Amino acid sequence: MKDVSRTVEVERNQPAVTASASSSKTETAESHVHSAQPREIKIAHSPDSDDAFMFYGLATNKIRVNGYKFTHTLCDIETLNQKAMHEAFYDVTAISFHAYPYIQDNYALMACGGSVGEGYGPMIVASQKFSLSAVKKLKIAVPGMLTTAYLALRLFAPEIETAVVPFDKIIPEVQAGNFQAGLIIHEGQLTYGQSGLHKVIDLGHWWREETKLPLPLGGNAIRRSLGNDVMLKVTQALRDSIQHGLDNREAALSYAMQFARDLDTNLADKFVGMYVNERTLNYGEDGREAIRTLLTLGHERGIIPHPVKVDFVG
């Protein structure tokens, strides 16, 4: 898969707050002077408005951690899944929850920063109306084999035939008639109707009906080799960044708009609200249960080849 990553330069000389590993409270960064070279933490996330909103505080240097420097790389989620699995290159990386079992030896899950669907999530859309039984017989364009969308699809329809298509090409491919249906993620969940497509099923709604749980879609993983202290500090920094975005919504949304593919401000605000909220700060007990349930079912149904042990940091 083509790597579409790019590194983001953070804004300098911005008023900042310093994150604490033990508390979400902050203090002015200017009161601390450090002569030691800061430790670089390499962060990677997808170029989506919700991820951009979460990382706004860190990416613009509004949130700082004394002694640490954060660099940001933006890359599509399936490439990040594969890179985490094969290289464990980034210190912090956005991943699909489906990818976690394949990287669990090298990474732990951060207890914040997840995108969770509260009765909504990836959708099968089509150029015409199909029944659920009919759509299971079609070849579906999917955004990647390690995406949580694909895992949910396989739980819904174990024998379904699929083909991998870049997530932002799925709607055009269905429109062009190359596929009768596609599995869409990200902003496509709000825009498919504008492309003349029909929703066949929302897998987030289906999952809620099946399990009474939210559908955990994407999270952030942190490299175990950083050590426990660093893992906790960096996790708290992300939590502070999320809180900063929620507390400064207009500015954070303005920053996120540069990544809001084909969305106006109102739709981008709606999309961000769907996936950046109080559960993004903390999954909660049912959120953690949902992650474990999703991955355990994936293993029991033969989709995930080995048992899963979920460790949360922070």
Side-chain angles (χ1 to χ4, degrees):
M1 178 175 292
K2 183 179 179 181
D3 190 324
V4 295
S5 63
R6 61 188 180 94
T7 301
V8 178
E9 292 291 333
V10 300
E11 298 175 14
R12 301 297 180 188
N13 301 318
Q14 298 291 328
V17 291
T18 302
S20 165
S22 59
S23 170
S24 61
K25 294 181 180 179
T26 55
E27 56 188 306
T28 57
E30 286 75 15
S31 61
H32 298 273
V33 178
H34 290 270
S35 58
Q37 188 72 15
R39 177 171 184 170
E40 182 181 8
I41 300 295
K42 298 182 177 70
I43 296 175
H45 62 83
S46 58
D48 307 307
S49 52
D50 56 334
D51 273 16
F53 189 98
M54 291 184 211
F55 284 95
Y56 163 69
L58 283 172
T60 60
N61 237 11
K62 300 292 196 305
I63 299 295
R64 301 177 186 176
V65 181
N66 293 322
Y68 292 85
K69 176 181 73 172
F70 297 93
T71 56
H72 299 258
T73 297
L74 274 59
C75 191
D76 72 275
I77 193 65
E78 182 66 356
T79 299
L80 291 180
N81 290 335
Q82 296 287 344
K83 204 172 187 71
M85 184 168 68
H86 296 297
E87 300 179 43
F89 178 77
Y90 296 109
D91 298 310
V92 173
T93 182
I95 60 164
S96 302
F97 282 114
H98 182 200
Y100 181 71
Y102 301 91
I103 69 169
Q104 61 186 354
D105 289 344
N106 292 317
Y107 286 92
L109 282 176
M110 302 172 93
C112 60
S115 296
V116 179
E118 304 282 354
Y120 48 80
M123 299 174 180
I124 300 177
V125 298
S127 54
Q128 63 186 80
K129 295 180 180 179
F130 288 103
S131 67
L132 296 185
S133 59
V135 81
K136 291 179 179 180
K137 299 175 183 177
L138 302 179
K139 187 175 185 178
I140 307 292
V142 300
M145 305 291 278
L146 288 178
T147 60
T148 308
Y150 176 77
L151 174 57
L153 177 66
R154 288 288 308 280
L155 291 172
F156 164 69
E159 306 301 324
I160 200 163
E161 186 180 2
T162 62
V164 174
V165 173
F167 78 92
D168 56 345
K169 303 299 182 184
I170 290 178
I171 287 178
E173 286 288 293
V174 175
Q175 286 180 298
N178 297 325
F179 294 90
Q180 289 181 287
L183 181 63
I184 58 171
I185 58 175
H186 301 319
E187 293 91 343
Q189 297 168 60
L190 298 180
T191 63
Y192 69 90
Q194 300 171 13
S195 302
L197 302 183
H198 303 275
K199 178 176 71 175
V200 179
I201 187 172
D202 184 323
L203 292 175
H205 177 75
W206 169 81
W207 173 259
R208 171 77 83 180
E209 292 292 308
E210 291 289 311
T211 67
K212 311 304 180 188
L213 293 168
L215 179 59
L217 297 167
N220 284 280
I222 187 164
R223 213 156 40 85
R224 296 181 187 274
S225 61
L226 293 173
N228 190 59
D229 288 348
V230 175
M231 291 166 73
L232 287 171
K233 285 181 181 179
V234 174
T235 298
Q236 185 60 48
L238 175 55
R239 182 173 282 117
D240 287 344
S241 183
I242 297 164
Q243 187 66 65
H244 184 81
L246 292 172
D247 291 343
N248 299 273
R249 189 176 189 86
E250 185 175 347
L253 186 63
S254 177
Y255 171 80
M257 277 300 297
Q258 63 187 302
F259 307 103
R261 291 173 291 266
D262 301 323
L263 296 185
D264 60 28
T265 301
N266 288 334
L267 274 182
D269 188 40
K270 179 179 179 180
F271 181 73
V272 167
M274 290 167 65
Y275 292 115
V276 188
N277 45 53
E278 288 301 313
R279 199 183 286 280
T280 315
L281 291 169
N282 192 312
Y283 290 117
E285 287 305 314
D286 61 334
R288 294 187 183 211
E289 179 187 354
I291 295 167
R292 294 189 177 99
T293 299
L294 177 70
L295 298 180
T296 298
L297 281 175
H299 174 59
E300 291 175 350
R301 305 282 176 86
I303 306 166
I304 297 170
H306 42 266
V308 182
K309 181 182 179 182
V310 179
D311 297 321
F312 292 99
V313 176

